Amino acid sequence: MFRSLIALAALFFAFAAPAYAQQQAVSAQITIHADRPGAKISRYIYSQFSEHLGRGVYDGIWVGPGSRIPNTRGIRNDVVAALRELQVPALRWPGGCFGELYHWRDGVGPRPQRPVRLNYFWGGVEESNAFGTHEYFDFLGQIGADAYVSANVGTGTPAEMSDWVEYMTSASHSALAQQRRANGREEPWSVPFLGIGNESWGCGGDMTPEFYADLLKQYAVFARSGRDPHPAVVAVGPSGDDYHWTEVVMAQAASKMDALSLHHYSLPTGDWSRHGPARGFGEDQWIATLAQTLRMEEFVTRHSAIMDRYDPQKRVALFVDEWGTWYDPEGPSSGLFQSNTLRDAIVAGVNLDIFQNHADRVRLAAIAQTMNVLQAMILTDGPRMVRTPTYWTFMMYRPFKETTSLPSEVDAPAYRLGETTAPSIHASAARAEDGKIIVALVNLDPNRAATITGRIVGADASGVSGQILTSGAMDAQNTFDAPDAVVPAPFTGAAVAHDRLTVNLPAKSVVVLTIQ
């Protein structure tokens, strides 16, 4: 299947290439320091986030064992196959804001007997609890991902969280472990990551950082599994530029956490009352979205600097466990469904570059969200499924997992429109265990190609191959009727000779190179 998609994309690119060649290319330079290896790039920065919101879980993941849509124990087979191919490292669940309403006991035991609750954060819809703890871990097993469980602090208690951890992880004959066995799971599950609340400064309880820090210390005492290793405790961190939150929580509770979260969404308008359209937008919205997403560099850098003061050994990781684009929902009852276009693929590449360039502190990131919600990897419509341009960016970045980051410096003309300015070229680089160098290049400019010349310091290259993701339109998308409109194609616009690299990078494109 993947090879056929590549072939179709290559055909498209062959016809489109003359249009790229006619553009007036700008000149840029890149220096990759293979002689200065940095931190290992954690595979967990390519993780996902799925919340009980809209059609993110129901229809997107869970259709029920009686559905005509092919499924395994109620979980869609097509979605599982696509996510297994993507090699999702971890999946955060059940929220999000919904997690602060979620009581785990509602989602275990015979499904017909589970209580129906109201999800009043997301439209006041009825939550059947058909997809609960056992279904979540079944899904993880089918796609090959690790668990990142978000515990309820807003309406929950430390005792409820502690019971849930014991239910999931204990190999003993305690009442909770026996209850898990009675519900169909003999062996305990592994829970590598445990979030202590979600957005406690907002939907998680409208707390001050001082109040949350005290709660974190209390909850962390009881965040113990029935076996080693215990889950990594993930503290609620800031939204965007709330540096005060990071300062207080790190000062008061750094020793009680293994990671601090960070959330940032890219809105074209920067206005939560009017986000901007997901498609049919102009170049002003294109550059505005990229300017918003580029703030991630500032946030990661400055929050990391605060963390360095209280944790100079970098024991505490920074988890960017909610990030992505947020546009106006498509329809009054859409559940935050939005189209996914080439613009989102560019956003994904920029963010992954930032995380890879800060691998010393950023060790997990989870895009929002996996299915049918916000910057989704996959969209479904009844029995139909489509992989989005964002999915394909993640696919192209797979070679970076567990590689060693290499510093890179880019000197390129700015991309400007009106009063808004962004760098035209974004990049990251790494060395794989087999010695190959992986380079990602993103051209943010939708109009101008770039001729990039560079040097790979400390390496002697003999060959290069790569893939490209691009299209003729800024809002090009994959639809259910045309699912292969924006897919990766082989890239032949790069050449190497010893320590020299040349790349002809088309406008509005993501390119990933493998250099030998």
Side-chain angles (χ1 to χ4, degrees):
M1 175 66 177
F2 181 68
R3 291 177 179 173
S4 65
L5 292 175
I6 291 294
L8 287 170
L11 184 62
F12 159 79
F13 188 70
F15 283 106
Y20 297 137
Q22 291 171 8
Q23 300 178 46
Q24 182 179 357
V26 301
S27 297
Q29 292 77 44
I30 185 170
T31 303
I32 299 168
H33 292 280
D35 59 335
R36 287 163 41 191
K40 175 173 274 192
I41 297 173
S42 170
R43 66 189 179 96
Y44 288 112
I45 69 169
Y46 315 96
S47 295
Q48 309 290 318
F49 167 44
S50 287
E51 182 175 3
H52 289 236
L53 196 177
R55 296 189 298 109
V57 171
Y58 300 108
D59 295 340
I61 297 170
W62 178 261
V63 292
S67 174
R68 294 182 179 180
I69 298 173
N71 68 87
T72 300
R73 295 179 297 277
I75 296 168
R76 296 181 65 124
N77 292 344
D78 54 357
V79 166
V80 167
L83 294 178
R84 282 194 70 86
E85 189 177 1
L86 199 58
Q87 300 174 358
V88 178
L91 183 80
R92 180 173 175 249
W93 173 87
C97 294
F98 175 79
E100 300 292 46
L101 302 174
Y102 186 68
H103 299 284
W104 69 270
R105 287 182 172 87
D106 291 344
V108 300
R111 278 188 288 273
Q113 298 176 21
R114 297 181 189 178
V116 174
R117 306 293 187 190
L118 288 181
N119 182 350
Y120 58 77
F121 272 125
W122 301 116
V125 299
E126 293 184 354
E127 166 59 51
S128 69
N129 284 301
F131 189 91
T133 300
H134 289 253
E135 292 78 14
Y136 167 63
F137 279 99
D138 189 3
F139 181 51
L140 294 182
Q142 291 189 41
I143 67 174
D146 288 342
Y148 180 179
V149 173
S150 184
N152 180 351
V153 172
T155 62
T157 66
E160 182 182 19
M161 178 204 68
S162 179
D163 285 351
W164 196 14
V165 172
E166 182 179 330
Y167 180 92
M168 292 185 287
T169 66
S170 177
S172 72
H173 290 85
S174 71
L176 287 164
Q178 293 292 67
Q179 183 184 0
R180 182 193 69 239
R181 294 186 179 97
N183 288 331
R185 173 71 183 191
E186 175 64 29
E187 297 299 320
W189 294 293
S190 174
V191 181
F193 309 108
L194 180 67
I196 308 300
N198 170 81
E199 296 188 355
S200 299
W201 35 262
C203 66
D206 199 18
M207 302 175 190
T208 65
E210 292 83 2
F211 184 79
Y212 174 75
D214 283 341
L215 279 180
L216 171 64
K217 289 184 283 188
Q218 180 188 18
Y219 272 75
V221 171
F222 302 102
R224 311 284 289 179
S225 70
R227 59 180 178 175
D228 289 328
H230 298 296
V233 170
V234 185
V236 170
S239 173
D241 61 357
D242 188 353
Y243 302 111
H244 176 67
W245 182 280
T246 298
E247 187 82 44
V248 171
V249 174
M250 286 296 297
Q252 296 189 9
S255 64
K256 301 300 182 182
M257 71 179 81
D258 298 294
L260 182 75
S261 70
L262 169 65
H263 292 181
H264 172 53
Y265 288 97
S266 303
L267 286 63
T269 64
D271 180 355
W272 283 97
S273 66
R274 184 180 57 85
H275 303 172
R279 54 183 172 169
F281 51 84
E283 189 178 347
D284 58 336
Q285 297 256 310
W286 168 281
I287 193 172
T289 305
L290 295 177
Q292 285 286 326
T293 213
L294 284 161
R295 296 200 68 195
M296 184 69 80
E297 176 71 37
E298 169 202 336
F299 299 152
V300 169
T301 299
R302 292 188 60 181
H303 288 296
S304 295
I306 296 170
M307 296 173 74
D308 286 346
R309 294 205 299 273
Y310 300 98
D311 175 39
Q313 292 77 34
K314 299 185 185 292
R315 181 190 65 83
V316 180
L318 183 62
F319 282 9
V320 189
D321 58 17
E322 285 189 36
W323 67 272
T325 54
W326 195 318
Y327 308 126
D328 294 331
E330 297 185 15
S333 303
S334 68
L336 300 189
F337 178 91
Q338 61 188 37
S339 296
N340 194 289
T341 70
L342 180 64
R343 175 175 60 171
D344 299 287
I346 299 292
V347 165
V350 168
N351 280 278
L352 292 176
D353 285 344
I354 292 169
F355 304 150
Q356 292 170 174
N357 291 334
H358 290 271
D360 61 331
R361 187 66 85 172
V362 179
R363 294 172 215 153
L364 183 147
I367 191 169
Q369 294 184 8
T370 310
M371 308 291 303
N372 292 327
V373 175
L374 298 178
Q375 192 174 348
M377 313 297 291
I378 295 171
L379 304 178
T380 63
D381 177 24
R384 300 190 296 176
M385 184 203 77
V386 65
R387 297 167 173 86
T388 67
T390 296
Y391 174 98
W392 291 115
T393 295
F394 270 67
M395 181 68 78
M396 291 170 61
Y397 274 70
R398 284 190 313 172
F400 280 101
K401 293 180 180 178
E402 301 298 323
T403 58
T404 300
S405 62
L406 300 176
S408 59
E409 301 159 1
V410 176
D411 182 10
Y415 163 43
R416 292 186 175 88
L417 184 69
E419 299 298 318
T420 307
T421 302
S424 58
I425 308 298
H426 212 270
S428 62
R431 188 194 297 276
E433 289 186 2
D434 61 6
K436 295 176 182 177
I437 294 175
I438 315 299
V439 179
L441 297 167
V442 184
N443 190 342
L444 285 68
D445 192 320
N447 303 309
R448 297 185 299 175
T451 300
I452 301 174
T453 57
R455 185 182 176 207
I456 310 171
V457 181
D460 188 11
S462 60
V464 60
S465 60
Q467 288 185 304
I468 183 170
L469 189 69
T470 189
S471 186
M474 293 183 293
D475 63 348
Q477 61 180 318
N478 297 328
T479 67
F480 298 109
D481 295 324
D484 303 331
V486 186
V487 296
F491 181 66
T492 58
V496 294
H498 301 296
D499 65 345
R500 299 295 171 174
L501 171 67
T502 303
V503 182
N504 294 314
L505 188 65
K508 54 182 178 305
S509 65
V510 179
V511 165
V512 176
L513 304 173
T514 299
I515 300 172
Q516 302 183 23

